[in-house]
Amino acid sequence: MKQKERKFDALIGHLSDDLYRFAFWLCKNDALAKDLVQETYLRAWRALDSLKNEKAAKSWIFTILRREFARLFERKVPPISSLDDLDFDIEETKSIGPDDKMEIDIVRDAIMQLDKKYSEPLMLQVVGGFSCDEIAQQLAISKSAVMTQLFRARSKLQTVLTKESKIGKVI
Amino acid sequence: MNYFEFRQQLLKDSFTKDEEFHRLRKEDLRCAKAYKEAMAFEKTLKKALNIKAPDNLKDSIVLRQTTQHTLTRSFRNYAIAATVLISFVIVSATWYLQKPGSIEQFIIESVALESNVPLSENSISLNKIKLVFAEFETEVNGDLGEVRFIHDCHTPGGTGVHMVVSTDAGLVTIYYMPKTTLSKDRIDFETANEKAILVAMERGSIAIIADTRQQLAAIEPTLKNNLVFL
């Protein structure tokens, strides 16, 4: 048991913050995200022996989280489409300048509007740090499809950011 | 790779290791400018997604694993005494589980602790329900009603299934406890706010909790008829 615990901690113990962030953007709710991370770790603990390739541990636990979300939470997550409805710690943005904060808020708002098929690969890339190949494997789609979705996701975000920033500056 | 393709690559993956991409980034002025802008955007994007994780998150997760570890270490350190202790625990647990009232108490506590489970907006598909029950070598032969929540859960003696079914008269909570044997065929009792019944099944037992006895009576045959133990 001790050996298993050590292995568990070494492989995925340090990923809790990234998992929480990914969970948060899936659920858009702090409490659900914490529950989802907890469930993910428990599932992973039970299934640790089935992990054959330890190098793929990060990808493995993100996949568990995505599946747990689909299994437990996806249907019950209330439709949130505005940053104002989001419940998260804004402490980290207090030290950021007003222009930067405005840009961050615009991007966050735009992420909320993104279709799941665009936001999920983007989160896996930016929050999870996965390559396009790894994302393709996780989402069971082709690498070119991943790249197309990433391209469209960023294009949409940049369009909103450019438009909203201009409006903000005019005001 | 031309300028247009370079910009496309920036939107797909600006951290690519492609040599041609990096050559253009250094040698082409337009590409260098586009790269700089893309990096500024990536920084904003990273900050936008990088919300603060709760301070105690890791500790709360590790705690549950650590508890198991502590138990293991204790057993290891007291190996000889453990043999006696385990035997004692097993005998005591068996006695405790068979003691009238202990299973009812478990259900009362579970209902109190798990009253706010996340309910799905729509009915959970029969296939998903079948998958959960399949883990307990139990087949679902027919419709169990409008299931709005299903998850494996702790039950006396092992893991079971926690399910919430929506009916016209309100929500009905069900615990399937494959390892919990009852001393009688059925036990009626009450939780803090609801009526409850424990029913012995071919394997283990089922607890049904609802506002009224009528709801319990309505769902009991559905469960008995549609759960097949393999």
Side-chain angles (χ1 to χ4, degrees):
Chain A
M1 183 72 83
K2 193 177 176 182
Q3 196 182 358
K4 182 181 175 184
E5 192 180 319
R6 205 180 296 144
K7 180 182 170 188
F8 185 80
D9 268 349
L11 289 175
I12 50 181
H14 62 287
L15 296 172
S16 61
D17 285 0
D18 285 344
L19 285 168
Y20 169 80
R21 288 186 192 104
F22 185 57
F24 179 88
W25 286 109
L26 285 179
C27 305
K28 300 182 177 77
N29 179 296
D30 171 60
L32 286 182
K34 284 179 196 163
D35 285 351
L36 185 52
V37 173
Q38 178 69 68
E39 284 296 326
T40 301
Y41 268 104
L42 286 176
R43 283 262 157 191
W45 172 258
R46 287 181 202 142
L48 189 63
D49 295 336
S50 69
L51 175 64
K52 303 295 175 211
N53 179 9
E54 293 185 0
K55 286 180 184 168
K58 185 177 175 182
S59 186
W60 175 70
I61 196 163
F62 268 77
T63 302
I64 293 176
L65 189 142
R66 282 183 51 253
R67 286 182 184 160
E68 282 297 290
F69 172 69
R71 196 167 75 91
L72 298 174
F73 298 102
E74 195 161 22
R75 287 187 178 189
K76 75 134 308 226
V77 172
I80 291 176
S81 55
S82 163
L83 199 59
D84 298 333
D85 299 330
L86 267 187
D87 169 31
F88 62 88
D89 192 338
I90 57 164
E91 197 64 34
E92 90 277 19
T93 59
K94 284 183 181 168
S95 57
I96 297 171
D99 283 351
D100 283 347
K101 187 176 182 309
M102 186 184 78
E103 282 194 352
I104 288 169
D105 283 348
I106 291 169
V107 172
R108 279 181 175 161
D109 236 343
I111 290 167
M112 311 279 289
Q113 314 294 334
L114 274 185
D115 195 290
K116 190 184 162 206
K117 74 173 175 181
Y118 299 129
S119 63
E120 209 167 47
L122 186 69
M123 287 187 289
L124 284 168
Q125 189 184 52
V126 180
V127 177
F130 292 106
S131 68
C132 292
D133 283 318
E134 288 169 323
I135 297 168
Q137 268 193 341
Q138 286 196 36
L139 300 179
I141 55 177
S142 68
K143 184 182 173 185
S144 61
V146 169
M147 292 176 95
T148 304
Q149 285 166 7
L150 288 169
F151 174 82
R152 288 184 183 158
R154 281 194 173 84
S155 297
K156 281 170 191 278
L157 296 181
Q158 284 191 349
T159 305
V160 174
L161 184 61
T162 309
K163 190 178 156 193
E164 297 287 325
S165 296
K166 279 178 187 166
I167 293 169
K169 278 171 188 166
V170 169
I171 290 166
Chain B
M1 182 183 282
N2 58 29
Y3 173 67
F4 179 72
E5 287 165 338
F6 182 87
R7 285 188 65 96
Q8 275 198 328
Q9 182 59 46
L10 280 175
L11 289 169
K12 290 171 186 170
D13 181 10
S14 52
F15 299 99
T16 178
K17 288 174 183 168
D18 185 84
E19 286 178 12
E20 177 68 359
F21 174 86
H22 286 287
R23 188 187 62 76
L24 280 172
R25 175 175 72 81
K26 288 173 189 164
E27 295 174 6
D28 185 301
L29 283 178
R30 282 196 309 167
C31 290
K33 185 172 178 280
Y35 182 79
K36 198 178 166 189
E37 285 168 0
M39 285 299 108
F41 172 73
E42 287 302 317
K43 205 172 156 188
T44 305
L45 180 61
K46 183 92 182 165
K47 280 181 186 170
L49 288 170
N50 198 20
I51 53 157
K52 188 173 179 290
D55 291 332
N56 58 351
L57 182 66
K58 191 177 177 223
D59 292 340
S60 66
I61 293 161
V62 172
L63 184 68
R64 291 176 76 157
Q65 315 298 348
T66 309
T67 309
Q68 293 176 22
H69 163 64
T70 310
L71 286 173
T72 312
R73 193 165 55 187
S74 302
F75 282 129
R76 194 171 293 155
N77 290 346
Y78 301 100
I80 298 168
T83 311
V84 179
L85 183 65
I86 290 168
S87 308
F88 175 74
V89 168
I90 290 169
V91 171
S92 304
T94 309
W95 175 82
Y96 178 76
L97 285 177
Q98 287 173 349
K99 190 182 74 164
S102 63
I103 300 166
E104 292 97 300
Q105 192 56 39
F106 168 81
I107 296 298
I108 290 166
E109 286 168 6
S110 298
V111 168
L113 289 169
E114 297 164 2
S115 59
N116 291 319
V117 292
L119 301 180
S120 63
E121 279 180 28
N122 302 311
S123 228
I124 293 170
S125 72
L126 188 58
N127 275 345
K128 279 191 179 176
I129 297 165
K130 282 182 173 178
L131 278 176
V132 175
F133 274 96
E135 286 183 36
F136 304 95
E137 295 173 337
T138 304
E139 200 174 272
V140 181
N141 245 358
D143 191 14
L144 298 183
E146 263 190 52
V147 178
R148 297 297 182 90
F149 173 83
I150 187 162
H151 201 290
D152 51 12
C153 67
H154 169 70
T155 64
T159 311
V161 178
H162 177 192
M163 196 162 72
V164 178
V165 179
S166 176
T167 70
D168 291 340
L171 296 175
V172 179
T173 303
I174 294 154
Y175 287 94
Y176 169 48
M177 304 175 287
K179 304 279 183 188
T180 309
T181 311
L182 301 181
S183 53
K184 299 179 195 170
D185 282 347
R186 54 193 302 119
I187 302 169
D188 287 292
F189 65 105
E190 289 183 10
T191 67
N193 303 310
E194 292 172 301
K195 314 289 180 199
I197 188 171
L198 282 164
V199 184
M201 302 292 278
E202 192 184 318
R203 186 190 304 139
S205 54
I206 276 190
I208 312 170
I209 305 102
D211 285 336
T212 64
R213 293 269 167 217
Q214 285 79 3
Q215 283 173 275
L216 303 181
I219 205 149
E220 185 188 333
T222 308
L223 296 170
K224 277 186 163 175
N225 294 335
N226 291 324
L227 295 181
V228 178
F229 305 98
L230 305 172

